[in-house]
Amino acid sequence: MNAVVNNALQKTDIPSDGPFTISGYGEATPVKFTQAGNGKVTLGDMDLKVTVRKKDGSSSALGTFTAPCKQSSGQNNTVQDFEVTNDPGETIPQQPVPPYFPYQGQDEPAGTLNYNFNLAGKSHIKMANGDADLKGKIGVNVDGKTGAIKGPLTLNKSKGNFMILGFLYVTADIDFEQIGDTVGTYSDGVIATTSTMNIKLPSFNLFGTPIPLGGGANCKTTKPSEIKMGSAPGTFFNPKKGGAYTSPDYTIASINDCGPLTGILSLFTAGAGNTINMNLTP
């Protein structure tokens, strides 16, 4: 049978890192049993209404939100085992009611969280079999209620060392030009974002020489790249500490207006299977 339980959780300070325990108290509607025997109380999925405040007790940007708690597979959800008897005189001792029950607080509207990060890492270009160093910054606003992310991403101009035709080493200047804001979500400690960028290639030179192979002010991809990035799978991303920010696969379109060797250069820059591995540092 199902029982309705009125719960309240004790006000608890959140540590800077690691797990923590929250005490709670609840009262259920009375239940009558028609026969003696063994019984147990189990807990299923539940939704928690959470109000997050700053250390001084003032309102935070997270406000009040609902946090759904789903039971993990194989998790022991037994709250209590008990024995039902025919003895009318046997009673269960009443637990003392804590001062935080019932909850008397007020809901607070969620606000916006603001974070700024430096970026540093590399992008591997599959067809060119080479890497380009990446550095830059990103500033994001995070909706305290929905976790929606929005903000500008800026990548510095870079250089990449590549190989074309299997033997020709080439150095390329690379300029990532973002279109609009980076958008996505931060939910359950996981970042998932999408950035849309034109990729400009102002110059291609033979490695270690000033000999140009192509490039120019108009040399760029024929359409923007949609780059999906996120935090490390299975790892809780703490925005106060930063961490990995990667793209396991993004596509670069063909290039245009890069000089007489545009066709050949495009063969060794365009395609899928490119990766990005960076770190976010607050």
Side-chain angles (χ1 to χ4, degrees), residues 29-208:
T29 53
V31 176
K32 291 184 178 181
F33 297 93
T34 58
Q35 61 185 33
N38 295 321
K40 67 178 180 178
V41 178
T42 60
L43 178 67
D45 298 339
M46 62 181 179
D47 289 340
L48 297 178
K49 182 177 284 188
V50 181
T51 298
V52 180
R53 297 180 182 274
K54 297 179 181 179
K55 189 173 183 178
D56 62 6
S58 61
S59 300
S60 75
L62 289 174
T64 301
F65 59 92
T66 300
C69 298
K70 301 295 182 182
Q71 184 180 339
S72 299
S73 177
Q75 186 176 12
N76 181 7
N77 65 343
T78 299
V79 178
Q80 182 69 51
D81 291 302
F82 59 91
E83 187 75 19
V84 178
T85 71
N86 291 316
D87 184 358
E90 185 175 352
T91 60
I92 299 175
Q94 177 68 36
Q95 296 291 323
V97 180
Y100 59 82
F101 183 87
Y103 176 68
Q104 300 292 334
Q106 295 181 342
D107 293 352
E108 297 180 0
T112 301
L113 300 164
N114 308 106
Y115 296 108
N116 292 284
F117 301 95
N118 290 322
L119 303 167
K122 292 182 180 293
S123 177
H124 181 74
I125 310 302
K126 180 179 179 180
M127 294 301 294
N129 191 28
D131 296 330
D133 290 329
L134 298 177
K135 288 186 177 181
K137 59 185 179 180
I138 183 171
V140 294
N141 296 326
V142 184
D143 188 294
K145 184 176 183 179
T146 67
I149 290 175
K150 185 177 182 180
L153 167 65
T154 302
L155 292 177
N156 301 341
K157 293 181 179 180
S158 178
K159 288 184 179 291
N161 296 320
F162 308 125
M163 180 185 290
I164 65 174
L165 302 176
F167 66 92
L168 195 61
Y169 287 92
V170 173
T171 299
D173 289 329
I174 305 172
D175 187 3
F176 294 89
E177 179 187 60
Q178 180 161 0
I179 301 173
D181 285 329
T182 290
V183 295
T185 58
Y186 176 61
S187 177
D188 297 328
V190 177
I191 296 175
T193 64
T194 300
S195 300
T196 304
M197 294 188 173
N198 283 320
I199 301 175
K200 296 183 175 181
L201 300 158
S203 70
F204 290 91
N205 292 335
L206 284 177
F207 183 73

Side-chain angles (χ1 to χ4, degrees), residues 241-256:
K241 294 186 175 182
Y245 186 50
T246 65
S247 174
D249 184 2
Y250 75 95
T251 299
I252 298 176
S254 59
I255 59 176
N256 197 18

